Amino acid sequence: MNHRHLVALALAALLTSCSIPTDDAPRVVQAPQGPFQSSASADTSAPVGPAVETLCFVRDNRIISFVRRVDRPPTTEDQLRHLLAGPTAAERDTDLTTALPGAVNAAGVTVTGTEARVVVDKPGEDAGRSDEVLAFGQIVCTLTSRDDVTTVTFFRDGRPLRVPRADGALSEQPLTRIDFAPLIAPR
């Protein structure tokens, strides 16, 4: 026997001895949870569609990018509204939460060039959270996940609002993901 035949026989023996069980008929297999699959598809209240939208929620005091399937590409207004609505029940089951209620009340967003301008109202008397840096980080990270937005500024009563960055400094300048990098969970 020549060398090629020995290699082929050894390879065949190795492949047949893997002891991987076979089924007699096809069966449905559930894909494991992973970083690119969300549990939202199991929640019938979660939108499912051909387009994607990235929303940034909170887990263990870190900002987490989360991808949802939606019916159509979201506008900036849609995306902000979905972020303010918070995680779905299935997303909450994966320990996702939000810092927005009680910390930031966003009233609307417009885009000029590549800058998103978010108008926020004063927090109500029932403000229950004090982690504003996470709340502003959620908005900035969500809106800059879009191809058409690179920076976000915040306004209140028609004037630029100074908001906290991850380093604790207050800024009224346009913000990016980099301003919140220490708070963003690695993928």
Side-chain angles (χ1 to χ4, degrees):
M1 248 187 208
N2 69 25
H3 185 274
R4 280 191 189 159
H5 284 64
L6 287 174
V7 170
L9 279 174
L11 185 58
L14 181 65
L15 289 175
T16 59
S17 67
C18 285
S19 71
I20 297 174
T22 60
D23 293 336
D24 294 332
R27 64 183 165 105
V28 176
V29 178
Q30 292 294 332
Q33 287 297 113
F36 303 109
Q37 178 185 8
S38 78
S39 61
S41 60
D43 182 4
T44 58
S45 66
V48 178
V52 296
E53 92 177 323
T54 299
L55 300 171
C56 295
F57 293 123
V58 175
R59 180 186 294 135
D60 298 326
N61 290 319
R62 303 284 295 225
I63 297 171
I64 306 288
S65 291
F66 188 83
V67 176
R68 277 189 190 164
R69 304 295 301 183
V70 291
D71 290 335
R72 60 182 170 75
T75 65
T76 52
E77 295 87 3
D78 292 338
Q79 209 162 355
L80 182 59
R81 187 177 68 253
H82 296 159
L83 178 65
L84 290 170
T88 65
E91 292 161 358
R92 286 190 305 272
D93 287 345
T94 66
D95 297 326
L96 289 177
T97 185
T98 180
L100 291 163
V104 175
N105 296 323
V109 60
T110 59
V111 177
T112 303
T114 60
E115 179 180 80
R117 296 177 176 199
V118 178
V119 176
V120 296
D121 293 333
K122 230 177 190 177
E125 297 297 321
D126 60 344
R129 295 188 72 128
S130 61
D131 43 3
E132 286 183 329
V133 67
L134 282 172
F136 286 109
Q138 281 184 257
I139 295 171
V140 170
C141 292
T142 294
L143 294 178
T144 59
S145 70
R146 302 173 56 85
D147 291 336
D148 59 343
V149 175
T150 58
T151 61
V152 179
T153 53
F154 294 89
F155 294 85
R156 179 177 289 148
D157 299 326
R159 294 188 309 259
L161 180 64
R162 295 178 70 195
V163 301
R165 299 183 323 197
D167 64 4
L170 294 176
S171 176
E172 64 182 42
Q173 298 300 311
L175 300 168
T176 68
R177 291 179 71 87
I178 293 171
D179 293 301
F180 299 93
L183 299 174
I184 299 172
R187 291 187 178 248

